[in-house]
Amino acid sequence: MEYKLGIQVFLLLFWRSALDALVSENDGGWSSNPEYSLTDEGPCNIDIWDKASLSHRQFIQQYAYSKPVILKGFSDNTKFQFLCSKSSLLQQYGERMVRLSTANTYSYRKVDVRFEEFVDLLLRPQSMDTLGSDTLYFFGDNNFTEWHSLFENYKAPRYMLPHTTGAYSFGIAGPGTGVPFHWHGPGYSEVIYGRKRLFLYPPDKAPHFHPNYTTLSWVKDTYPYLLEEKPIECTIRPGEVLYFPDRWWHATLNLDTSVFISTFLG
């Protein structure tokens, strides 16, 4: 009797462990305390297309040079997502150095830390009163030689602009973090884990913002009072990709601990 009971307890613990692992894999092990995640996803006023309904010709004619669009299911990055789980990245890159940037519009300060140190000590929710110059953000400064084995498994969005190639920028950030408004050439932003809220303005409508205030403070102190100057915006999730045209102003806000990658076209 005791033997059978022991087997039952073992099986119960085994399946509970397996279930916990399965649940963890859904967020890659990156989920933080739910109370730190942001609940307001905001409206979505950006066109959304799935892979079966938007042709390359339509993309070029309707969006490539004129307005943003969200693409769903255009590429299968299941393997890349698995490789970006917390345990996988720590095992592969834990001892490698990564370069962090200050999270303001004109970022100049850089800090080099071990990836493991970033994950264990610096990957935290954004404080409302912290300035961008005091917020360290892991995005963009990737050593492509060291990270090549990861990036070679990423399937970039299929629609390229004529005479351009893509350059990757990979990042991980805590809830409430993000980059304030800035602009550059055209590109894509894809979420691997978590949710990312994005705000955009066309080149001829520069938003009102302080370059050293975080996106979180802008959402709290400025966004609610906008009248005729509301942004184009949406929240994207894993498997969704936002395309933004050349010179469009954009700001990001991570609603959860997020893993993400951008493809800049140039």
Side-chain angles (χ1 to χ4, degrees):
M1 182 70 176
E2 292 181 356
Y3 173 77
K4 290 183 178 179
L5 182 61
I7 291 294
Q8 291 174 342
V9 172
F10 171 79
L11 291 174
L12 177 62
L13 293 175
F14 172 80
W15 286 113
R16 180 175 294 175
S17 176
L19 180 60
D20 289 343
L22 179 61
V23 171
S24 178
E25 281 305 308
N26 289 336
D27 56 35
W30 293 107
S31 65
S32 55
N33 189 324
E35 70 181 65
Y36 294 129
S37 293
L38 305 182
T39 58
D40 185 8
E41 296 188 355
C44 184
N45 51 19
I46 300 177
D47 292 347
I48 301 175
W49 291 79
D50 62 41
K51 63 181 180 181
S53 55
L54 182 68
S55 68
H56 185 227
R57 182 177 180 179
Q58 286 176 300
F59 170 77
I60 294 295
Q61 291 178 340
Q62 298 181 32
Y63 302 104
Y65 306 104
S66 57
K67 61 180 180 178
V69 63
I70 293 172
L71 310 178
K72 297 180 63 172
F74 276 70
S75 56
D76 181 5
N77 274 306
T78 303
K79 181 179 180 180
F80 183 75
Q81 185 184 53
F82 173 78
L83 294 174
C84 289
S85 68
K86 185 176 182 179
S87 59
S88 178
L89 286 181
L90 284 173
Q91 180 179 7
Q92 185 73 20
Y93 301 101
E95 297 298 320
R96 307 284 180 90
M97 299 298 292
V98 294
R99 175 159 291 181
L100 312 180
S101 304
T102 47
N104 54 16
T105 298
Y106 307 107
S107 296
Y108 298 107
R109 187 164 70 94
K110 308 288 184 181
V111 176
D112 293 335
V113 300
R114 289 188 304 112
F115 179 67
E116 184 177 41
E117 180 182 350
F118 164 71
V119 172
D120 292 342
L121 302 178
L122 300 175
L123 186 59
R124 295 289 182 266
Q126 175 72 52
S127 174
M128 184 66 72
D129 57 355
T130 302
L131 294 175
S133 57
D134 296 320
T135 302
L136 293 175
Y137 199 70
F138 173 44
F139 176 62
D141 284 303
N142 309 117
N143 184 318
F144 284 89
T145 300
E146 294 183 344
W147 292 77
H148 174 73
S149 61
L150 177 67
F151 293 152
E152 68 179 1
N153 289 285
Y154 176 64
K155 296 180 180 178
R158 69 176 72 169
Y159 296 154
M160 295 291 110
L161 301 186
H163 313 297
T164 66
T165 57
Y168 299 145
S169 288
F170 178 74
I172 303 170
T177 62
V179 178
F181 282 104
H182 62 289
W183 60 265
H184 44 66
Y188 292 95
S189 178
E190 179 168 359
V191 171
I192 307 303
Y193 289 111
R195 297 168 299 153
K196 182 183 288 288
R197 189 175 175 184
L198 299 110
F199 308 90
L200 303 101
Y201 285 93
D204 60 344
K205 294 184 179 180
H208 297 290
F209 69 100
H210 190 292
N212 199 30
Y213 288 178
T214 63
T215 305
L216 184 63
S217 65
W218 181 84
V219 169
K220 176 180 179 292
D221 298 330
T222 302
Y223 177 87
Y225 305 103
L226 297 175
L227 298 176
E228 303 298 326
E229 302 172 343
K230 289 282 188 181
I232 297 172
E233 63 174 292
C234 199
T235 294
I236 61 173
R237 300 168 182 79
E240 300 178 344
V241 184
L242 170 79
Y243 169 78
F244 51 88
D246 187 27
R247 296 177 180 269
W248 272 64
W249 291 91
H250 54 284
T252 64
L253 180 66
N254 297 294
L255 302 185
D256 312 298
T257 298
S258 302
V259 180
F260 45 90
I261 186 168
S262 291
T263 305
F264 298 121
L265 305 178

